[in-house]
Amino acid sequence: MIDLHCHSHFSDGQLSPSDLLQLAIQNDVTMLALTDHDTVDGISPLIEANKEQKNPIQIIPGIELSVRWKKYDLHILGLNINPSSVTLQALIKKQQQSRNERAVAIAACMAQLGIDDALEKAKKIAGHEHIGRPHFAEVLVQAGKVPNIQAAFERYLRAGKPAYVPTPWISLEEAITETIAAGGDAVIAHPNKYKLTRTKLFELGLAFKMAGGTGVEVISGDMNPTQIQSLVTMANQYNLLASTGSDFHGEKMSRVRLGQQRALPIHCKPIWEKWSMSNTTRNI
Ligand code: AMP
Ligand code: MN
Ligand code: MN
Ligand code: MN
């Protein structure tokens, strides 16, 4: 199995990179991309853990960049990147600042809702400073405001809800350009999650291709056959390569397990065929 999208506890995943690797090996994953939100901190521990294996797997360094495109918050994967790229590091710093400022603003919204010290609570849950909305969702659950994470997003954290704070994420063009500058390929993550009409989805595909994007996640997490078919059509229309990933965050948070997403349909050109062994092993 090939899984080019998952998260560790360096962003909003539950497992450490080395536990993620053990699970990948257990699930017969032969190629794994770690794609934490706006950070590459987990990549070097993952590569180190992989070196200690009797049969190392192929590790693809990745990142999931938060992007603002028109009125939408999108996610663009940077795959097969050089995590030490100086320009990428600068971009990450900028994203981190936006994330920090948003976290302060979300905590202020939560104070209005009667939850004190939400930022400190979120940091404690995360175990680091890269605070994401799932950490605030857990704060809401622990405060007894909602029964689960899903409800926390539905009632408080998603766009238009009381604890949603618009964030000045980087543009689509910047995400693509900087991914390419870091030696990688840009991929539209889980296109079915943005509630786009078919027209808007294809508009995104065109804008992405024009800006130098390489691929689209034809398979991500759990999707139905109709959604998959429209992504196959879009990929072929704009000559985009196909990617596949579980978007695994941990057993508790994800329905699809690591490496257990559906198979890539035929008539797709897999993105990994573009990467030579020498290139992907440069960091191992
Ligand atoms: P952030 O990057 O901090 O805005 O957080 C985005 C993350 O929140 C996503 O990567 C998902 O892990 C999680 N998320 C977004 N929407 C939902 C939802 N409706 N239910 C559960 N988790 C969600
Ligand atoms: Mn996430
Ligand atoms: Mn995402
Ligand atoms: Mn993800």
Side-chain angles (χ1 to χ4, degrees):
M1 279 304 297
I2 288 174
D3 194 334
L4 300 177
H5 187 162
C6 71
H7 297 271
S8 77
H9 68 190
F10 282 93
S11 66
D12 56 357
Q14 295 173 310
L15 301 182
S16 66
S18 93
D19 286 347
L20 211 49
L21 179 70
Q22 293 313 322
L23 190 58
I25 291 168
Q26 208 177 302
N27 291 359
D28 293 324
V29 173
T30 52
M31 185 189 280
L32 181 72
L34 178 62
T35 53
D36 276 317
H37 298 283
D38 303 307
T39 178
V40 291
D41 288 355
I43 290 173
S44 154
L46 179 62
I47 288 170
E48 288 310 309
N50 193 42
K51 273 186 196 161
E52 286 162 22
Q53 301 303 312
K54 233 191 302 158
N55 298 307
I57 65 169
Q58 213 171 337
I59 301 292
I60 305 294
I63 190 165
E64 185 169 13
L65 293 166
S66 308
V67 159
R68 186 78 178 175
W69 179 71
K70 297 181 184 278
K71 60 174 182 167
Y72 305 98
D73 290 319
L74 307 181
H75 287 171
I76 300 296
L77 298 174
L79 296 180
N80 201 25
I81 49 164
N82 172 7
S84 342
S85 150
V86 175
T87 48
L88 182 68
Q89 293 292 340
L91 188 79
I92 289 172
K93 217 165 160 194
K94 192 162 117 181
Q95 292 282 80
Q96 201 53 54
Q97 193 178 337
S98 297
R99 195 170 273 283
N100 290 344
E101 286 167 9
R102 181 188 67 166
V104 171
I106 292 178
C109 295
M110 294 221 180
Q112 295 272 313
L113 298 165
I115 302 172
D116 293 329
D117 305 319
L119 185 54
E120 289 66 33
K121 288 171 182 163
K123 283 183 181 172
K124 204 163 167 210
I125 288 162
H128 56 70
E129 304 271 317
H130 303 282
I131 303 304
R133 285 182 295 161
H135 305 121
F136 282 112
E138 185 63 35
V139 172
L140 286 158
V141 173
Q142 288 181 10
K145 288 273 184 197
V146 283
N148 53 49
I149 301 275
Q150 190 62 37
F153 273 90
E154 285 308 312
R155 289 188 216 163
Y156 295 101
L157 293 163
R158 75 176 174 84
K161 299 296 169 179
Y164 173 76
V165 175
T167 314
W169 300 122
I170 54 171
S171 68
L172 182 66
E173 290 74 18
E174 204 173 356
I176 296 167
T177 309
E178 294 303 331
T179 296
I180 295 169
D185 285 307
V187 168
I188 305 173
H190 45 64
N192 58 307
K193 279 210 183 149
Y194 311 124
K195 301 190 168 78
L196 303 174
T197 60
R198 194 179 162 89
T199 310
K200 266 275 171 285
L201 175 68
F202 277 63
E203 198 184 311
L204 169 64
L206 179 61
F208 178 78
K209 178 69 184 183
M210 299 293 284
T214 307
V216 56
E217 245 182 0
V218 171
I219 299 291
S220 167
D222 49 350
M223 291 169 71
N224 65 45
T226 318
Q227 290 170 325
I228 296 170
Q229 195 43 52
S230 70
L231 293 176
V232 171
T233 308
M234 186 176 95
N236 291 337
Q237 181 158 334
Y238 298 120
N239 203 12
L240 293 166
L241 300 178
S243 192
T244 175
S246 60
D247 202 3
F248 182 76
H249 284 69
E251 301 285 335
K252 203 179 108 188
M253 288 171 73
S254 303
R255 256 178 289 172
V256 175
R257 295 173 167 214
L258 193 64
Q260 308 282 297
Q261 74 279 15
R262 284 171 188 251
L264 205 58
I266 47 169
H267 309 308
C268 285
K269 296 188 199 95
I271 192 163
W272 54 90
E273 288 179 359
K274 184 174 181 263
W275 306 326
S276 68
M277 269 305 284
S278 58
N279 190 15
T280 52
T281 50
R282 84 183 149 204
N283 293 293
I284 297 175

